[in-house]
Amino acid sequence: MRPAKIPTEELMTSGHLACQGCGATQAMRFALKAMGPKTALVIPACCWSVIDGPFPHTSLKVPICHTLFEAAASTASGLKAGLEMRGDTETVVMAWAGDGGTFDIGIQALSGAAERNEDIMYCCYDNEAYMNTGIQRSSATPVGAWTTTTPVAHYKKRPKKKIIDIMAAHSIPYIATASVAYPQDLIEKFRRAREIKGTRFMHVLAPCPTGWKLAPELSVAMARLAVTSRVFPLIEVTDNGSTWKVWKDFEQTPVADYMKPQGRFRHLTDKEIDSIEEEVDRNWQIMLSRERLSADLPGLER
Amino acid sequence: MGEKITFKSYKEMPINAMSIADMTWNLTGSWRNIRPYYDFKMSPCRLGCPAMEDIQRYIFLVTEKRYEEAWGAIIENNPMPAVTGRVCFHPCMDKCTRKDFDQAINIPAIERSLGDMGLENRDWMKKVDASKKEKVAVVGSGPAGLSCAFYLARMGYQVAMFESEKALGGILRWGIPEYRLPNDVVDRVISQILGSGPITVRAETTVGRDIGLDELEKEYDAIFLGLGLMKSRSLGIEGEKGKGIEPGLEFLKKVNSGETVSPGKRAVVVGGGNTAMDVARCARRTGSDVTVVYRRTMNEMPAIKDEIEEAEKEGVHFHFLAAPKEVVRSGGKLAKVVFQEMELGEPDESGRRRPVPVEGRTFELEVDTLFTAIGEQADLTGIEKKVECEWNMIKTTGEAGETSSARIFAGGDVVTGAASVVDAVAAGRKAAGKLDRIFTSADEPAVEEPKTVGIEEINTAYFHQTKRTLVPRIPVEEALKGYLEINSGFLPEQLEAEADRCFSCGVCNFCDNCWMYCPDVAIVRLEDSYEVNYDFCKGCLVCVVECPRGCISTREEGK
């Protein structure tokens, strides 16, 4: 057999309940290819608690513990402790939560687990709103976006919460962002994270054609444009939150190319998009300056 | 496929709320409005190639380092890639989609590399034995004749080639200078073709003079005429016959046979085609000061563009909008040529503007040798009685080179007028195919308009802008010293780099994207293909967009 670009093992099956072109399912499929079968998932209320299928069915070949909206990180911590008690040091426990369960409702539990440096992985697949309950805004919804709770007349005026900064401030050993448009990079980062002890936080942008008012065939293209427009930079933060590495080896594209195909941004004027681009550029520069700063830091093992 | 579980009572339920079955009973294919399906197109380069070489496929095979198969893919349509890779005017490159992104792929250089590998690896050409009773006479051993003989022999027919010269090759041997196509390459290509199957050769036999077409008809089941154009057309001016004026083709023949030639200090070449360029550049190599005089302008020159550029680099001068009017001799030697100045008038039947003389405007050039290269003619002695000819060319009645006489086919320059090697190769192959269908009473293949793709169907996010890999060449000063081949072939790493640039337009090259990005795990990855699992495909069409090369088409369900 011809060598494949990514592992051929499938731990996610067909028949799941995700919408057409769902980025969250791509994220799951890639992540499990990296994690392997010795993985236990903890899924709070989110799209994935529906996608997986109705009781007593599942579309994943790894165990899942469905839990409360606010409890992903704490349930994962407990599950890990339980496995350790039973002498299972091999299985990795990974919380798999949406942006609502991470940025908003689950942030207290996540902050607690990270501060204790619990030996868990936490992946937020971010579709930038409460999608399965009807597209309500979350603190991960980007500035300018329409949602059912930020209608066009009152579109979201506040920027997306900087979750990576928050997590870096917890001094955990590994933080990374990844995109479904770059599966090899995503898989590599999950593999790297799998081997590290302590709290590891992964942030994957998962386009949602339904909530983004986007043609489903463009979901991967949007994920790619989010990266190349620098709206969603691919980064890694290591050395307990101190060393920043930003992926820059791409041909930059305008922010408008990313926003225009999405119906949730349709009401924005070119001027408004320009000011968003300025903000994107500012954040990008801050990211780069952190990278430069951490490169100059003495005495840290990298 | 898993089964859906429905509990009739709580007693059937597991003790914990845990999953005991998978979701594969849920055939999400029923959600689909639009169906994606694999639908490979024909790459535009292939459509641009007169010989229909499967360019995409051999470049793909090069990227996989499967060189023998890549060579085999060319040989299916062209038996002499070592020749065409050197001299073809490569219309494929004008069609290459990559030209709308950065620069077209250097297809001829890749073809040449494979052609040369085919000459090095002699076991790649598997010999075919005679398996059919029919015998075919092929008259002329230029590219058309060689191609026809090769494909007939591949199919097991017995072929007898007739050639009036001692050595085979026609225009390849006598018309193309060694700095473009070394004799050694011609020799090896011909010996490979002759050794590939039941082909016999009768050299120094001119059909129409030494042996009649009637005799051939008795002895053979069919005849293919690939006579070529081996006579230079005359200028039709006074004093043309005599010292100092030489037909370009004869000069090239002398050069290619290694004869010493000395056109003198000042040589003028009349004409604007490939022969004119070849003559001019050969004359430059003897140290002459060479001027090409053409009656139209640079834009109308029929010569291959690269050849014109090379000639300019080598110091050939050009004088446009002029034609010879009169030659002046003194003491039996050519002294001067009087030229008539021309201007462009209305377009003629070729679509080019017709040159017309400007009344009263002439000029003189001192000339030691004047070469004529205004076109070549066929020698149809003994042929025209048997098959209908027109404008001193053989008239064909069908795509495959059928003539007025049943079982006599013709192809190459003798049919089309001066064209190219690749056109002749294509004509020879078409005739061979048609003869096979006649002999076996097979049906004509159905002709379908091939679907192709353009830059709109290419997902350019998967490609980076790069420059075409150029072939290494010797410096002009070196080139002018003799007839050393100017372009050397690709180095292995250059071949790899250039093949990697190919978009593989419209044809799958197993990049895995469709399989990888499918959110529904509904693409099945097989050894040499992919399949859509319509039980589960929800019709999101991510695969269609993420296919970098436009291999997947769509249609509405229920229509």
Side-chain angles (χ1 to χ4, degrees):
Chain A
M1 196 82 177
R2 199 179 287 279
K5 263 194 201 163
I6 58 171
T8 52
E9 186 183 26
E10 302 291 358
L11 294 172
M12 183 183 95
T13 69
S14 303
H16 61 67
L17 300 180
C19 308
Q20 293 164 327
C22 173
T25 45
Q26 292 164 329
M28 178 66 90
R29 184 172 170 222
F30 297 147
L32 288 183
K33 279 173 185 283
M35 298 298 291
K38 281 289 185 188
T39 306
L41 294 179
V42 174
I43 299 186
C46 64
C47 283
W48 250 104
S49 41
V50 177
I51 295 170
D52 182 49
F55 170 75
H57 304 94
T58 178
S59 43
L60 298 184
K61 295 180 187 168
V62 297
I64 309 168
C65 178
H66 289 278
T67 189
L68 305 170
F69 220 148
E70 64 274 33
S74 44
T75 309
S77 307
L79 193 58
K80 177 68 191 173
L83 286 169
E84 265 175 21
M85 294 285 282
R86 293 173 56 130
D88 180 350
T89 50
E90 199 188 344
T91 304
V92 174
V93 178
M94 176 162 73
W96 184 267
D99 47 293
T102 305
F103 287 60
D104 298 344
I105 301 172
I107 197 163
Q108 180 276 132
L110 172 60
S111 176
E115 190 277 328
R116 297 190 301 273
N117 199 23
E118 296 285 351
D119 190 16
I120 56 166
M121 274 179 76
Y122 188 107
C123 176
C124 170
Y125 68 96
D126 181 2
N127 49 30
E128 304 196 313
Y130 291 83
M131 292 309 183
N132 75 51
T133 53
I135 322 175
Q136 293 86 3
R137 60 101 84 182
S138 77
S139 59
T141 304
V143 64
W146 160 94
T147 65
T148 53
T149 49
T150 51
V152 169
H154 310 279
Y155 66 77
K156 191 164 184 253
K157 299 289 189 328
R158 293 288 299 155
K160 186 183 177 91
K161 194 187 268 184
K162 290 175 181 158
I163 195 74
I164 296 296
D165 291 16
I166 295 170
M167 295 316 295
H170 283 76
S171 305
I172 54 175
Y174 188 78
I175 300 165
T177 63
S179 164
V180 293
Y182 298 90
Q184 287 115 312
D185 173 74
L186 185 151
I187 288 169
E188 222 172 273
K189 284 169 175 164
F190 272 81
R191 278 185 173 155
R192 210 168 292 156
R194 195 186 197 286
E195 302 311 313
I196 294 171
K197 265 192 120 43
T199 307
R200 295 141 277 170
F201 182 79
M202 315 297 288
H203 183 199
V204 181
L205 185 70
C208 170
T210 310
W212 293 13
K213 300 293 169 215
L214 174 72
E217 65 266 30
L218 293 180
S219 72
V220 171
M222 279 313 113
R224 180 167 52 241
L225 287 169
V227 172
T228 55
S229 65
R230 307 165 309 160
V231 166
F232 189 84
L234 294 183
I235 62 167
E236 270 181 309
V237 187
T238 53
D239 295 332
N240 296 338
S242 66
T243 301
W244 292 62
K245 215 170 88 192
V246 186
W247 184 60
K248 301 178 280 293
D249 186 20
F250 55 84
E251 276 162 44
Q252 199 184 311
T253 54
V255 169
D257 288 4
Y258 169 65
M259 299 184 86
K260 291 242 160 118
Q262 301 181 38
R264 63 174 173 158
F265 296 122
R266 190 169 297 140
H267 52 278
L268 295 179
T269 61
D270 286 351
K271 217 175 137 210
E272 285 167 318
I273 293 179
D274 283 349
S275 77
I276 290 172
E277 174 134 33
E278 272 169 39
E279 201 51 40
V280 164
D281 189 56
R282 205 176 161 76
N283 288 335
W284 175 256
Q285 295 304 335
I286 291 171
M287 206 80 86
L288 293 187
S289 69
R290 282 190 184 135
E291 183 181 52
R292 279 195 300 274
L293 181 68
S294 56
D296 292 342
L297 281 176
L300 263 175
E301 203 182 303
R302 280 195 281 278
Chain B
M1 206 169 288
E3 254 177 66
K4 185 179 183 180
I5 291 177
T6 319
F7 299 120
K8 291 196 185 68
S9 95
Y10 72 91
K11 287 177 190 153
E12 291 176 19
M13 290 188 181
I15 196 142
N16 287 329
M18 62 184 285
S19 303
I20 50 174
D22 67 28
M23 284 293 290
T24 53
W25 50 269
N26 186 31
L27 303 183
T28 53
S30 65
W31 305 10
R32 188 177 57 245
N33 286 311
I34 302 175
R35 164 181 294 241
Y37 62 98
Y38 291 98
D39 178 27
F40 299 168
K41 325 289 191 300
M42 197 175 276
S43 57
C45 49
R46 184 173 194 189
L47 288 171
C49 174
M52 290 283 275
E53 278 184 20
D54 201 344
I55 297 166
Q56 172 280 328
R57 185 156 145 250
Y58 69 70
I59 295 184
F60 163 70
L61 290 165
V62 168
T63 63
E64 297 230 314
K65 297 197 169 65
R66 290 153 69 182
Y67 300 119
E68 184 174 349
E69 288 168 77
W71 173 84
I74 304 183
I75 294 298
E76 283 173 23
N77 295 287
N78 170 8
M80 49 185 86
V83 171
T84 45
R86 286 174 165 83
V87 303
C88 191
F89 70 115
H90 46 72
C92 50
M93 278 176 77
D94 300 334
K95 291 275 157 48
C96 177
T97 316
R98 185 114 198 176
K99 77 175 189 309
D100 299 325
F101 181 65
D102 46 25
Q103 292 180 321
I105 307 288
N106 196 340
I107 300 168
I110 296 174
E111 182 188 33
R112 175 194 163 154
S113 294
L114 291 168
D116 286 352
M117 284 185 211
L119 295 179
E120 290 304 317
N121 298 282
R122 300 176 67 111
D123 57 321
W124 285 4
M125 180 71 86
K126 307 286 180 266
K127 197 179 161 154
V128 174
D129 292 324
S131 58
K132 307 245 169 68
K133 61 177 195 329
E134 286 89 351
K135 290 189 286 185
V136 181
V138 170
V139 183
S141 66
L146 285 169
S147 165
C148 188
F150 176 78
Y151 289 106
L152 286 168
R154 286 274 99 180
M155 294 182 279
Y157 295 105
Q158 299 162 59
V159 181
M161 294 194 79
F162 293 82
E163 168 58 52
S164 47
E165 297 287 341
K166 199 167 172 183
L168 270 55
I171 197 80
L172 305 177
R173 181 174 300 278
W174 310 118
I176 305 178
E178 287 215 71
Y179 56 81
R180 283 175 62 200
L181 180 62
N183 285 345
D184 165 59
V185 174
V186 176
D187 285 339
R188 291 203 287 164
V189 165
I190 290 172
S191 91
Q192 186 175 44
I193 290 174
L194 297 182
S196 71
I199 306 176
T200 54
V201 176
R202 280 175 67 180
E204 293 179 280
T205 309
T206 307
V207 173
R209 291 177 208 263
D210 304 335
I211 180 166
L213 272 182
D214 290 335
E215 281 173 73
L216 291 187
E217 269 198 316
K218 274 179 221 145
E219 207 175 321
Y220 297 94
D221 298 280
I223 301 167
F224 176 79
L225 301 171
L227 308 171
L229 308 174
M230 296 304 283
K231 255 178 21 186
S232 282
R233 190 172 290 180
S234 59
L235 295 170
I237 58 170
E238 230 163 278
E240 189 181 348
K241 297 261 180 302
K243 261 195 133 177
I245 299 194
E246 191 169 357
L249 268 186
E250 274 172 35
F251 173 70
L252 288 179
K253 196 170 168 184
K254 281 186 205 160
V255 171
N256 273 4
S257 348
E259 269 181 54
T260 318
V261 285
S262 40
K265 247 167 83 183
R266 281 175 303 260
V268 166
V269 184
V270 180
N274 286 322
T275 307
M277 293 307 102
D278 290 340
V279 170
R281 295 175 67 190
C282 285
R284 268 302 282 151
R285 280 162 172 72
T286 65
S288 302
D289 180 75
V290 182
T291 305
V292 170
V293 178
Y294 180 49
R295 59 190 183 139
R296 291 177 162 115
T297 72
M298 173 85 88
N299 296 331
E300 288 81 24
M301 278 178 76
I304 302 175
K305 232 174 159 205
D306 305 354
E307 294 301 309
I308 303 171
E309 278 168 24
E310 295 276 323
E312 278 187 315
K313 266 191 224 159
E314 290 174 5
V316 171
H317 306 296
F318 287 86
H319 198 123
F320 295 108
L321 292 169
K325 191 170 187 231
E326 199 185 329
V327 289
V328 182
R329 287 201 169 79
S330 83
K333 273 174 68 181
L334 183 63
K336 281 188 299 201
V337 179
V338 183
F339 288 90
Q340 168 71 52
E341 285 188 23
M342 312 292 267
E343 63 185 1
L344 293 181
E346 294 298 307
D348 63 12
E349 65 278 5
S350 74
R352 297 179 302 173
R353 292 174 66 190
R354 190 192 301 275
V356 286
V358 187
E359 203 60 44
R361 298 276 298 264
T362 58
F363 63 93
E364 294 177 355
L365 288 177
E366 285 182 31
V367 181
D368 294 305
T369 306
L370 181 88
F371 293 107
T372 59
I374 56 164
E376 289 81 34
Q377 285 178 313
D379 182 353
L380 295 171
T381 318
I383 305 287
E384 45 202 350
K385 294 181 294 192
K386 194 73 204 165
V387 293
E388 199 184 328
C389 296
E390 199 177 48
W391 308 104
N392 198 35
M393 291 184 286
I394 297 176
K395 196 176 163 190
T396 53
T397 57
E399 274 284 288
E402 297 90 337
T403 67
S404 61
S405 177
R407 305 235 162 164
I408 298 184
F409 283 63
D413 282 1
V414 77
V415 169
T416 56
S420 70
V421 172
V422 69
D423 286 303
V425 164
R429 196 191 71 232
K430 278 184 199 157
K434 176 75 189 183
L435 284 171
D436 176 55
R437 292 195 293 279
I438 291 174
F439 294 147
T440 58
S441 310
D443 292 335
E444 289 297 308
V447 188
E448 245 178 87
E449 188 67 24
K451 281 193 266 184
T452 186
V453 299
I455 189 74
E456 301 77 29
E457 284 82 21
I458 301 293
N459 189 339
T460 51
Y462 289 101
F463 303 99
H464 298 287
Q465 295 205 335
T466 52
K467 284 214 168 90
R468 180 183 312 142
T469 316
L470 299 174
V471 282
R473 50 159 299 149
I474 58 171
V476 172
E477 311 82 67
E478 281 300 310
L480 283 175
K481 280 183 194 158
Y483 296 92
L484 202 62
E485 190 174 14
I486 291 173
N487 293 324
S488 49
F490 270 157
L491 300 166
E493 61 271 22
Q494 290 173 316
L495 175 64
E496 238 171 85
E498 193 58 9
D500 278 341
R501 292 181 68 233
C502 179
F503 283 163
S504 186
C505 299
V507 187
C508 179
N509 67 356
F510 315 107
C511 77
D512 275 348
N513 274 11
C514 54
W515 164 74
M516 195 163 70
Y517 288 118
C518 178
D520 296 301
V521 204
I523 305 271
V524 188
R525 187 176 183 275
L526 302 169
E527 172 66 44
D528 264 328
S529 61
Y530 304 95
E531 270 174 24
V532 181
N533 182 345
Y534 293 111
D535 281 347
F536 295 110
C537 167
K538 291 172 185 163
C540 71
L541 310 186
V542 163
C543 54
V544 177
V545 172
E546 297 311 318
C547 175
R549 48 204 104 255
C551 295
I552 309 176
S553 298
T554 59
R555 68 169 163 264
E556 247 181 273
E557 286 294 349
K559 284 198 178 162

